[in-house]
Amino acid sequence: MKALSGAIRALAAAAAATAALPALAATPLPEAPHRVLDAMGPQAAHVVDLWRIFLVTCTAVTAAIVAALLYILWRRPRSGSDSTPDLTMVNRSEPGPRRHVTQAVAASVVLLLLLVAASVFTDRTLARMPLKDAVNIEVTAHQWWWTVRYRSGEVWQEFETANEIHVPVGRPVVIQLKADDVIHSLWVPNLAGKKDLLPGRTSIMQFRADQPGIYRGQCAEFCGYQHALMGLFVIAEPPEQFEAWQQAQRQAAAEPADAQAQRGKSLVESTSCAMCHAVQGTRAQARRAPDLTHLASRRTLAAGTLPNTPQALASWIADPQRHKPGTNMPTIPMSQDDLQAIVAYLGTLQ
Ligand code: CUA
């Protein structure tokens, strides 16, 4: 009884806390296509071609089977409840049906072999796509977000971001895929097929975006409670714009100008934020959660869950479990003043 009333009190407190949060303005998430049939690069186009071959073949086979079934039903000899059973058919030799079954089995084997050959050829073609001058990226999947690290021969040129992959249009992209905890799968249907991210192994995904745009990606392997809220965006942009973006991302965070944001910065450095997050150029250097150095330049929060607006950011920090139950980000008790200062500081991280 005591436990029950305790639970009811806890629920009431949680409801009151949720009600006190500012209502989220209805800012929509970025419009981004997530369509297999709109191939925006050669790899995706090969996958669509293979899919079309399978669709046509399987439709034709299904239609033939249904037609044969309807024909058999139509020509079946009718018998009534009082007809005597015809037992001679048990041992009767039927060369006609036997021939048809043999032909159907042969046709099935040939068609299956053709589909296998089409898959193998597609796989070969994808493996042989030119990768000269490729952009090298390392994506690590976590429950439930993505680390995106831009690799370079020069270590000082490397940088990290989260839940957004920028790529230049027309240049091949090679992504090394890793997983931190369980199996995930990266799927950006407009650019490439699915690829699993496995703990303890590195797999490779390659694609090229031929059209500028924002393409939605999604984790495509059930990985726990918030699997559905594990999205990301691929932003394909002209090469000059991509270079400028890279330059900006390599910079450490700028020092905030106004007093409120400065207070936010020292809060981020001195409270539990710094135990998980990094902001380059500050004392926050942890690597357990998304790098926040250029948080304000990203389009969404919490791996495509919320639009990146000050209201959504405040609401997310105040109660992450409300937006993404089960996420590793804890609810940290803080005053409204502190919350607003932190939001102001994070807003300066362009
Ligand atoms: Cu990660 Cu599903």
Side-chain angles (χ1 to χ4, degrees):
M1 199 61 205
K2 207 169 164 196
L4 184 67
S5 67
I8 292 172
R9 236 177 298 126
L11 274 177
T18 307
L21 289 171
L24 282 188
T27 314
L29 288 163
E31 269 296 314
H34 184 84
R35 284 190 291 269
V36 177
L37 298 181
D38 284 353
M40 291 297 170
Q43 283 84 353
H46 283 297
V47 174
V48 178
D49 288 345
L50 182 64
W51 180 81
R52 290 211 174 96
I53 293 173
F54 270 72
L55 178 72
V56 169
T57 313
C58 296
T59 308
V61 169
T62 309
I65 291 172
V66 170
L69 190 68
L70 291 175
Y71 174 70
I72 292 163
L73 288 174
W74 171 71
R75 54 152 277 184
R76 184 177 70 107
R78 304 283 150 181
S79 53
S81 55
D82 52 351
S83 356
T84 43
D86 173 15
L87 295 177
T88 58
M89 67 175 287
V90 175
N91 292 318
R92 197 191 297 153
S93 145
E94 292 183 289
R98 179 170 298 206
R99 205 174 54 240
H100 291 148
V101 169
T102 315
Q103 285 167 350
V105 168
S108 304
V109 170
V110 169
L111 285 174
L112 283 173
L113 286 177
L114 282 177
L115 292 182
V116 170
S119 301
V120 170
F121 278 119
T122 303
D123 206 47
R124 283 289 177 92
T125 316
L126 291 180
R128 286 183 189 154
M129 302 292 278
L131 294 177
K132 201 168 159 280
D133 191 28
V135 181
N136 284 300
I137 304 173
E138 187 182 291
V139 169
T140 309
H142 313 264
Q143 283 175 317
W144 296 280
W145 60 281
W146 315 83
T147 300
V148 182
R149 184 166 187 85
Y150 282 73
R151 308 301 305 265
S152 165
E154 316 271 357
V155 177
W156 61 272
Q157 288 205 322
E158 297 199 354
F159 61 91
E160 207 170 283
T161 176
N163 307 322
E164 257 183 33
I165 305 176
H166 284 243
V167 298
V169 167
R171 236 173 100 188
V173 177
V174 178
I175 305 186
Q176 291 190 33
L177 304 168
K178 297 179 175 184
D180 189 31
D181 32 44
V182 298
I183 301 177
H184 303 263
S185 176
L186 177 57
W187 188 37
V188 191
N190 292 79
L191 297 172
K194 291 173 192 166
K195 198 90 181 200
D196 279 2
L197 298 91
L198 308 164
R201 287 192 61 160
T202 302
S203 35
I204 302 281
M205 175 188 260
Q206 304 159 359
F207 65 80
R208 194 180 78 206
D210 286 340
Q211 303 280 337
I214 305 178
Y215 307 110
R216 194 173 192 287
Q218 172 66 38
C219 178
E221 180 81 48
F222 182 73
C223 55
Y225 198 12
Q226 294 300 339
H227 156 69
L229 290 183
M230 188 167 166
L232 85 164
F233 291 89
V234 175
I235 294 119
E237 50 203 1
E240 321 77 63
Q241 217 172 310
F242 172 72
E243 282 309 323
W245 175 83
Q246 273 196 312
Q247 281 304 332
Q249 295 287 312
R250 284 190 193 113
Q251 307 302 318
E255 199 54 35
D258 74 285
Q260 192 193 27
Q262 276 165 5
R263 201 166 78 77
K265 181 189 170 191
S266 55
L267 283 167
V268 165
E269 286 179 316
S270 59
T271 62
S272 5
C273 306
M275 291 168 74
C276 297
H277 293 281
V279 180
Q280 302 308 331
T282 73
R283 281 187 286 141
Q285 289 293 332
R287 305 280 301 268
R288 282 304 308 158
D291 186 297
L292 301 178
T293 312
H294 298 287
L295 175 73
S297 73
R298 305 208 278 259
R299 283 154 181 80
T300 64
L301 302 169
T305 306
L306 293 169
N308 192 357
T309 62
Q311 296 91 327
L313 184 56
S315 183
W316 169 250
I317 298 170
D319 192 358
Q321 301 299 324
R322 172 189 167 208
H323 297 287
K324 206 164 170 176
T327 175
N328 280 331
M329 174 133 158
T331 299
I332 296 152
M334 64 174 87
S335 70
Q336 267 301 321
D337 270 4
D338 288 358
L339 177 64
Q340 290 311 327
I342 290 176
V343 170
Y345 173 57
L346 296 178
T348 68
L349 299 177
Q350 277 295 334

